[in-house]
Structure formats: C-alpha cells, structure tokens
Amino acid sequence: MHVPLVDLKAQYQNIQHEIEHSISSVISDTAFIGGKYVNQFERSFAELYGVKHCIPVANGTDSLYILMRMLGIGAGDEVITVANSWISSAETIGQTGARPVFVDVDPVYFSSMDEVSFEKAITPKTKAVIAVHLHGQMLQIDKIKVICDERNILLIEDCAQSHFASLGGKRAGTFGIAGSFSFYPGKNLGAYGDAGCIITNDDALAEKCRMYANHGSLKKHDHRMEGINSRMDGLQAAILSAKLPHVLQWTADRIRVAGTYDALLGSELHITIPKVRPGTVHTFHLYIIQCEKRDQLKDYLAEKNIETALHYPTILPLLPAYNHLGYTAANFPNAYKYQQACLSIPIYPEITNEQIQYVASAINAFYATGKGA
Ligand SMILES: *Cc1c(COP(=O)(O)O)cnc(C)c1O
C-alpha cells in the first residue's frame, strides 16, 4: 500500500466540480489580479476569523515581511523568533535590516518557543516577536501576549501552519497586532500556487499593508510611497473561496486522524506522540513523532512505501545562512534534540483508516521485530 505524506489529488477529486467552475469563472471574467474574486475571498476569510481586515498577498513569506516593514521594524532592531521553523519566520526579519534572535522550543510540546525562553531573549533593542504556531499547535500565546504588552513588544503571529487552531476558543492570528497566513498548496488551507494573507483589527496598519503590497497605492497611479508587488491573483482567490466551505470539516478530519494515530501508537515505548497543549485546539498540519533510531525507521517506512519527512532536518540557527550569528547546538538543547528525533508521518483529511492502520502497524513492527533495538 502506498501512503503519501499529503495527498492533494484526493482533495481535488472530491471537489473537482467546484474548483473547475471557479477557475473558468475567473478566466471568463478576466479577473486575474485583484478584482471580485480576491475581494470575495478576503471578505469571507475576515468574516470566518471575526476580524476587521484581511489583506490578501502573494504568499505567506511576504505577509511577514510586509507586516514588519509597515510596523517600522528595521536596522538596529532585534526581532525574536523560534529556532525550529520554516526559514520564512527568520529570513523576513533579516530582510527588514533587523537582527533575528533565535530562542529554543519548549521542552514539553516541542512545537514553538515558551514564555520563559522568550522573556530571557528580550533586550532593550527587542522590537517584535514572530510567534510561530507550528505544526497546527498553539504556542503559549496568552503568556507571551502578557509579556509583550508589559514590555511594549509587537506581537506578530505566524499562522502559516495553524489555520483554525485556537486557545480557549480564540483563534491563532487574533491575539497580537496581526496574524500572517500562508496558502501554499500543502497548508491546511491551500491554493493551487502561492498565496497568503494578513489579518488585523488595526485600521491604520491594514491600510498601510494593503498599500505597500500594491506598489504603495490604493488607487491606480496614486502612489503614496514606494511599495512592492505582492498581490494575490484571482485564480488563487477563487480556488481558496471554493475550498473555504470545506475547511472546517477538513480540520476536524485531521484532528480525528491524529486521535487514531494516538490510539495506535500511544503505547509504543520507543516513540513519543505529539502532546496537545491543554485548552487548545491543535489542527495537525503535521503529525510528528519523536523516535529512537529515527533514520532507520524512516528508511524502513520508505521500503513499505510510506512517505515521511523531517520538520526540520536542521534547525534555523544551525543553517549556513545563519553561521554569522555564531550559534551552536548547545544554545538550543530542546530544538536540537527534536531535530534529531522528529519524524512527520502521513496526515491529511482524506487518509483512509486502512492507510492509518498500515502506517501504525509498520512503525510498531519496526520496533517489535528488533530492527529498532
Ligand atoms: C509555509 C510557511 C511560511 C511561508 O509561507 P509561503 O506561503 O510558502 O511563503 C511561513 N512560516 C511558516 C512557519 C511556514 O510553515
């Protein structure tokens, strides 16, 4: 049996009609950039999140960059971010001229920074934090928000992996000054190309971001400042709108799949299953186990036609791109330990029970047959 890590084709086949209708509408209306499909998506997404503004942009990396630029972050500033993440949540800091300051992940949930390591990293130069809700798991956002409010630090949430995750019923992206989303195809809500957005309740920030993403103008030829070209295109917006009515069900399906894995893998002594932070909804963009003999297990699963991945094989501060900052693995003991042991196993809404059983039995068999000893 083949089990892919994600199966975008299965999703497409279930909603093929809606997708094809939305694509042909955009083309017959020639609404390629901006226009009614983009307007419609931004209204629906803002409504779903209960926020005043949704600013559609070209991708979830630009959304972070645009936010930081429009919040006045630049040379001389420090921005705190987490050691274990996709590079966007660090590289965009450098792009503004500011310096990224990496902190370790928390030792229980392993998903993102905790408030203790965050607070330790604050200096008089700290202007903002990129709070990354990784894997679909909320970080300790309530505690981090209290510290940000006390110390006058801008709280930017990177929700690229955590659409619809929540704490106490309040969704990721609505705690800080703004939330940043990616709609990269494999994300929990994915377009058929690059797309992203910013959500915020701050009117002035929303207007600036919207302007900056569109060459510094809100109206044609009325450039109030220099900007960039980071617009969502109509095809992506229409595809996202077609998917929106399904996304809460897909999210519930991911959570159900995670529960099945928990039950099948929870008693295996050689692995640790992901822990969900109490009071939160984890939306399982990824299901990551920590395991003994990780690389051997990965190879064994590949032989059984089961795709797995590492998120991430190298933590950000140890990448060549950040050599100049002089960090070592000893600076990030939890993230480094996670890097050595993490393995992402297949999860997507359409995965069948047979596939889940097959993956779990293969993992259990690896350890039971002594291969993992
Ligand atoms: C995917 C991702 C991004 C970037 O999104 P793109 O749309 O690919 O630019 C940013 N941060 C995190 C944590 C991500 O996983």
Side-chain angles (χ1 to χ4, degrees):
M1 190 186 303
H2 174 229
V3 191
L5 190 65
V6 292
D7 191 348
L8 298 179
K9 197 162 181 175
Q11 190 190 67
Y12 169 64
Q13 283 164 344
N14 287 338
I15 54 166
Q16 187 168 354
H17 231 72
E18 291 140 89
I19 293 287
E20 280 165 12
H21 174 73
S22 59
I23 291 175
S24 61
S25 308
V26 174
I27 297 172
S28 57
D29 290 338
T30 63
F32 299 122
I33 302 284
K36 74 175 186 189
Y37 296 95
V38 176
N39 296 342
Q40 189 197 328
F41 173 71
E42 67 182 70
R43 274 199 307 274
S44 313
F45 199 74
E47 203 173 292
L48 198 50
Y49 267 81
V51 292
K52 282 164 82 177
H53 306 282
C54 166
I55 300 102
V57 297
N59 57 69
T61 305
D62 281 2
S63 49
L64 289 168
Y65 173 71
I66 292 165
L67 269 171
M68 282 188 273
R69 285 296 306 271
M70 294 303 99
L71 288 166
I73 293 161
D77 297 329
E78 288 177 359
V79 178
I80 295 174
T81 190
V82 69
N84 180 41
S85 182
W86 175 243
I87 193 166
S88 303
S89 51
E91 68 183 346
T92 48
I93 299 170
Q95 285 158 13
T96 68
R99 177 189 162 97
V101 174
F102 291 103
V103 301
D104 203 3
V105 302
D106 82 81
V108 179
Y109 303 100
F110 286 98
S111 52
S112 203
M113 71 179 86
D114 62 24
E115 71 283 2
V116 180
S117 40
F118 168 59
E119 192 155 28
K120 272 196 214 135
I122 297 172
T123 75
K125 291 182 175 172
T126 306
K127 186 92 183 255
V129 55
I130 304 290
V132 189
H133 301 287
L134 270 177
H135 314 154
Q137 168 98 297
M138 300 290 294
L139 53 58
Q140 208 60 283
I141 191 74
D142 47 346
K143 295 188 176 152
I144 287 185
K145 183 172 164 52
V146 170
I147 300 167
C148 288
D149 290 347
E150 278 168 13
R151 314 274 301 250
N152 210 11
I153 293 167
L154 294 162
L155 172 57
I156 299 165
E157 294 176 79
D158 183 346
C159 312
Q161 297 188 7
S162 56
H163 310 70
F164 309 105
S166 59
L167 166 68
K170 192 171 160 62
R171 284 192 179 136
T174 62
F175 288 83
I177 177 89
S180 166
F181 288 81
S182 165
F183 303 119
Y184 178 82
K187 299 289 162 86
N188 285 16
L189 176 59
Y192 285 1
D194 277 314
C197 81
I198 293 164
I199 62 171
T200 182
N201 284 316
D202 185 311
D203 298 337
L205 178 64
E207 178 160 291
K208 279 194 216 167
C209 290
R210 196 177 283 281
M211 213 183 261
Y212 188 68
N214 186 39
H215 303 290
S217 77
L218 294 173
K219 284 199 309 243
K220 203 160 196 163
H221 303 306
D222 181 24
H223 304 278
R224 300 290 170 100
M225 59 175 162
E226 286 185 338
I228 61 173
N229 177 359
S230 181
R231 298 174 298 213
M232 187 186 285
D233 71 63
L235 285 169
Q236 303 311 336
I239 288 162
L240 289 169
S241 289
K243 288 188 171 196
L244 217 44
H246 302 282
V247 75
L248 294 178
Q249 181 59 49
W250 291 334
T251 304
D253 289 339
R254 284 177 179 275
I255 294 168
R256 175 182 48 78
V257 173
T260 310
Y261 274 138
D262 287 351
L264 295 171
L265 297 172
S267 53
E268 173 53 64
L269 297 173
H270 300 87
I271 68 175
T272 307
I273 59 171
K275 282 191 190 63
V276 177
R277 204 183 288 283
T280 69
V281 174
H282 185 325
T283 56
F284 290 96
H285 173 57
L286 298 168
Y287 188 95
I288 303 184
I289 56 174
Q290 291 171 78
C291 36
E292 290 170 21
K293 308 250 173 187
R294 192 265 317 270
D295 294 343
Q296 291 94 317
L297 174 61
K298 189 174 195 322
D299 292 345
Y300 177 83
L301 295 175
E303 278 167 31
K304 305 267 174 225
N305 221 358
I306 298 168
E307 288 178 21
T308 59
L310 308 183
H311 296 95
Y312 292 91
T314 308
I315 58 172
L316 296 170
L318 303 186
L319 287 169
Y322 294 109
N323 270 347
H324 61 285
L325 297 177
Y327 290 111
T328 67
N331 297 120
F332 309 98
N334 300 331
Y336 190 67
K337 184 175 154 216
Y338 197 69
Q339 169 193 312
Q340 306 299 96
C342 69
L343 187 67
S344 303
I345 64 174
I347 190 164
Y348 46 91
E350 301 79 10
I351 191 170
T352 65
N353 262 323
E354 291 69 33
Q355 287 175 310
I356 300 171
Q357 300 275 352
Y358 179 68
V359 173
S361 329
I363 294 170
N364 287 324
F366 172 75
Y367 293 107
T369 56
K371 286 200 165 58

